[in-house]
């Protein structure tokens, strides 16, 4: 999974550094939607010294290369996930622990097209994030975080 990023760096005459490859390895090897801080923390746990600026710059390069996708769930920061050959999908975001769950529903895809067409609109894309509590947090066993922008936003709705 790292080789395409290494190729991208070379093709664009950018240095192929151990730090950039370490960031790419964390993001591209994850099934999660990681924030820059979570990437930095994971690198710290692996005893990799990578500065915050390098993490952000590398995330930007991963997105530009098409190998990662940037997501903004209204938390006040962005999350990153590997660009997979997965069809368009939606997200469920736990406002307590920050867990993100992906889902895909063909009925939703058809519905958004029908709604657009009924208004004389040609749908190109859409984005849906459902805010709520995951099963773990409903049972009280989820990791509790301090109130975030997501929680404040969800409370206003």
């Amino acid at each position: 999974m790292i080789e395409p990023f290494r190729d991208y760096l070379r093709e664009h005459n950018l240095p192929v550094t151990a730090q950039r490859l370490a960031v790419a390895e964390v993001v591209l090897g994850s099934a999660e939607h990681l924030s820059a801080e979570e990437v930095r923390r994971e690198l710290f746990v692996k005893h990799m010294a990578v500065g915050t600026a390098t993490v952000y710059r590398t995330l930007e390069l991963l997105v530009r290369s098409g190998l990662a996708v940037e997501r903004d769930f209204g938390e006040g920061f962005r999350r990153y996930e590997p660009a997979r050959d997965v069809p368009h999908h939606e997200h469920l975001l736990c406002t307590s622990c920050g867990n993100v769950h992906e889902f895909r529903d063909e009925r939703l895809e058809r519905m958004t097209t029908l709604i657009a067409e009924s208004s004389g609109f040609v749908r190109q894309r859409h984005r849906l994030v459902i805010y709520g509590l995951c099963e773990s947090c409903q049972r009280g066993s989820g990791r509790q975080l301090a109130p975030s922008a997501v929680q404040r936003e969800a409370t206003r709705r």
Side-chain angles (χ1 to χ4, degrees):
M1 191 68 149
I2 290 298
E3 209 50 46
F5 184 57
R6 189 186 311 263
D7 293 343
Y8 176 85
L9 293 173
R10 287 183 182 134
E11 289 167 10
H12 291 83
N13 297 316
L14 297 167
V16 178
T17 66
Q19 291 85 359
R20 283 180 172 169
L21 296 177
V23 171
E25 193 172 300
V26 168
V27 174
L28 300 178
S30 178
E32 304 295 319
H33 298 72
L34 300 173
S35 68
E37 179 58 29
E38 289 167 329
V39 171
R40 194 190 63 69
R41 209 170 326 150
E42 180 70 25
L43 292 167
F44 179 78
V45 168
K46 293 180 176 185
H47 305 289
M48 288 289 302
V50 180
T52 303
T54 299
V55 170
Y56 277 101
R57 283 193 300 266
T58 305
L59 290 170
E60 191 177 304
L61 288 171
L62 284 165
V63 170
R64 235 183 310 159
S65 73
L67 296 170
V69 178
E70 181 181 82
R71 304 282 184 203
D72 185 346
F73 295 124
E75 299 169 286
F77 57 88
R78 290 178 171 76
R79 292 180 179 269
Y80 301 85
E81 66 176 311
R84 304 177 302 266
D85 291 331
V86 175
H88 179 79
H89 59 273
E90 313 304 336
H91 298 91
L92 299 167
L93 177 64
C94 181
T95 57
S96 180
C97 69
N99 183 42
V100 179
H101 174 76
E102 295 177 352
F103 73 95
R104 178 166 169 69
D105 190 321
E106 285 300 323
R107 296 170 300 176
L108 181 59
E109 295 297 315
R110 287 193 304 273
M111 184 184 300
T112 59
T113 300
L114 290 171
I115 291 169
E117 287 174 352
S118 71
S119 298
F121 202 79
V122 176
R123 184 187 82 125
Q124 293 177 330
R125 64 182 180 269
H126 72 275
R127 180 175 70 170
L128 175 68
V129 179
I130 299 174
Y131 299 88
L133 293 175
C134 69
E135 288 183 39
S136 293
C137 290
Q138 290 175 55
R139 288 192 308 268
S141 59
R143 61 182 172 128
Q144 298 295 312
L145 300 179
S148 68
V150 171
Q151 290 169 301
R152 289 190 297 277
E153 181 67 23
T155 306
R156 283 186 273 190
R157 293 177 188 203

